[in-house]
Structures are given as structure tokens and as C-alpha cells.
Amino acid sequence: MTTRKILCLMLVFTQIGCRSVYRIHCTSDPAPAGVLAGEEFLGETECTVEIPSDSEWIENDQIELTFCLPNGAERKRVVELHGRKPSNPLAEFVSLPFMIGGAGLILMDDDDDEEEEYDAWSDSDEDDDVEELGLMGLGVVAIGAGLYCLFGGDFDSLNACPVHVDFNEPAPED
């Protein structure tokens, strides 16, 4: 019975608002410049926008972004998505607590062996506890990485595609 409940919950979580997205990091000179896809405002530079992989703005594995300055100047950039994998927010959502918790445990492992003298007669288990925290942290991070991969995450998709527009250069002729 418990296994069925867990499977049902996993199926529900995989369907709730977890569309795959392409991440695009937008910068401009000068900044800020508005970033639009179609007629929709996505943000101001410097920003990272997320475009759903099933977006109507994507045609032939490309998306056209428009960068606009307050004075009305515009530049269009076509971003090639072919060969890029969209990220999976569900994988990130599930694995993030493990990654953060594991990193916290590793950081708690503040072991300064070089500065302390080894006392073979000491009954203190404090040093062993600290070392166990670090090892436990590595294990928790490994569980997070495993969950990320299990839920379809791809480490390359975490890197946003960089797009830069320089309004100081002459506009390309169409």
C-alpha cells in the first residue's frame, strides 16, 4: 500500500508545472535593455530568461529575441537551440535539498589536522564525528546527484546559453 502511494505521488509531481526549459543569459551594452520574445517582455539585461521547450516562439530549433533600449533602439538576435538540451526543473527541485544539505555537512567538517597534535591517549571521539560529517555530506550530495539524473536532469542544461547585444556597434543589415 505504501509503495502505491509513493508511486502515485511521484507521478503527480512529475506532472505539476515542471516543463523543460531552455535558459538564455542575456546581456547588453549599454544596460539595461528590455528582452522580448514575440510581443512578451521577459526581463531587462542582465538577466537569465527561461523559455519552455514547447514554446510557440521556438521555430526550427531557434528563437528570436528582441533587445530594446529606452530610446527605441532595437536589435534582434536569433538563438540556435539545436544540440542544446532543455533543463528539467523537477530534477532540480528534487535534488536541490540534498545538494544543499550535503554541502552544509561538508562545510561543517572543519578539520584542522595539521594544527593539532595527535593524542593517542585521548578518549575524545569529537574528531571522528567531524570526519563522519564530511563523509556523510559527500554521501548526501551523491544521493542528490543520483536523484537529479534519475529524474532526467542533464548537467549541461544547467548552463545558460549566453547572448550579448552591443548597441554601440552598427546594426547588422538585413
Side-chain angles (χ1 to χ4, degrees):
M1 186 70 169
T2 305
T3 306
R4 276 192 212 157
K5 288 179 183 178
I6 292 172
L7 285 174
C8 286
L9 281 174
M10 288 177 61
L11 288 173
V12 168
F13 281 128
T14 60
Q15 302 302 314
I16 297 177
C18 292
R19 296 190 301 178
S20 296
V21 294
Y22 291 102
R23 288 191 175 95
I24 303 171
H25 185 73
C26 303
T27 57
S28 68
D29 185 25
V35 180
L36 293 99
E39 297 293 319
E40 187 171 332
F41 178 77
L42 302 176
E44 287 186 344
T45 59
E46 173 173 341
C47 65
T48 299
V49 297
E50 293 184 348
I51 308 293
S53 61
D54 60 351
S55 172
E56 68 273 3
W57 302 318
I58 298 175
E59 293 180 16
N60 301 323
D61 286 334
Q62 296 177 336
I63 184 168
E64 183 177 77
L65 299 177
T66 304
F67 291 75
C68 307
L69 287 179
N71 67 8
E74 287 187 3
R75 296 284 195 279
K76 295 188 183 296
R77 289 290 184 267
V78 175
V79 180
E80 183 67 41
L81 301 174
H82 181 73
R84 291 194 158 275
K85 292 183 181 178
S87 70
N88 183 343
L90 175 66
E92 296 167 15
F93 177 75
V94 169
S95 65
L96 188 63
F98 290 92
M99 298 293 208
I100 292 173
L105 289 173
I106 291 170
L107 291 175
M108 288 175 63
D109 181 10
D110 188 19
D111 194 14
D112 298 328
D113 287 336
E114 297 85 26
E115 297 176 11
E116 297 177 11
E117 289 185 28
Y118 177 70
D119 184 6
W121 298 104
S122 173
D123 287 337
S124 173
D125 290 335
E126 186 176 318
D127 290 338
D128 292 339
D129 292 342
V130 171
E131 288 175 9
E132 288 173 6
L133 280 178
L135 291 174
M136 196 176 349
L138 287 175
V140 172
V141 168
I143 289 171
L147 286 172
Y148 182 75
C149 294
L150 180 69
F151 280 90
D154 180 14
F155 291 104
D156 289 337
S157 67
L158 293 174
N159 299 326
C161 175
V163 177
H164 180 75
V165 172
D166 191 349
F167 285 94
N168 298 320
E169 294 178 358
E173 294 185 28
D174 296 325

